[in-house]
Amino acid sequence: MGRGVGLDDEAVHWVGVAIRESVINAIKHGNRNDATKHVFVEFETAQAPEAPGLLIRVRDQGEGFDPETIANPLDPENLLKSSGRGIFLIRNFMDDVQLERAPQGGMEIRMVKRLLPGGETEHSLS
């Protein structure tokens, strides 16, 4: 789908990493590894010339949390922790990230990767 909107190989790779991180978070933290709960993943492409890109939504069926309480993994007390970097990484790989409680329950992360005129992605990492 990313290639369909014109994302290059590097952008497709980082979008894949962001999707994997968000699904892992939904399973592990949202649904607390409860096999009876589901994770929903939706993709939407935007072909409009002014803002082509890819929108991904990942929603769990957990209790939810306040996104403002997420610890900064770069704070000295968090540097050696083995977890807590997923959302930080997602925010760095994607162009727009929003976390909110879903109306149907659980948390939803909405991630957008945009393609700029000329075929460059907004946050190319090269």
Side-chain angles (χ1 to χ4, degrees):
M1 291 189 81
R3 290 196 202 316
V5 297
L7 297 178
D8 62 18
D9 289 344
E10 185 176 5
V12 168
H13 169 76
W14 293 116
V15 167
V17 172
I19 293 168
R20 284 189 293 280
E21 284 291 334
S22 62
V23 170
I24 290 167
N25 280 349
I27 293 167
K28 184 177 176 182
H29 301 295
N31 292 347
R32 298 181 191 240
N33 294 315
D34 182 341
T36 65
K37 293 183 178 179
H38 297 91
V39 174
F40 304 91
V41 182
E42 297 177 21
F43 297 89
E44 186 177 325
T45 59
Q47 296 289 342
E50 67 276 0
L54 184 61
L55 164 67
I56 303 112
R57 289 185 190 91
V58 177
R59 180 175 53 88
D60 62 50
Q61 292 184 309
E63 296 176 21
F65 65 96
D66 179 358
E68 299 297 318
T69 63
I70 298 172
N72 182 349
L74 300 180
D75 285 346
E77 66 271 14
N78 298 327
L79 286 176
L80 298 178
K81 290 185 178 177
S82 62
S83 66
R85 292 172 182 79
I87 291 175
F88 173 81
L89 293 172
I90 293 166
R91 286 182 170 147
N92 281 282
F93 299 152
M94 302 299 284
D95 299 317
D96 182 38
V97 176
Q98 297 175 13
L99 292 153
E100 55 190 33
R101 290 184 189 270
Q104 54 277 70
M107 287 297 289
E108 179 176 279
I109 183 168
R110 180 184 178 276
M111 307 174 282
V112 176
K113 187 66 170 177
R114 292 186 193 90
L115 182 71
L116 298 176
E120 294 294 318
T121 55
E122 198 166 305
H123 287 102
S124 291
L125 298 176
S126 37

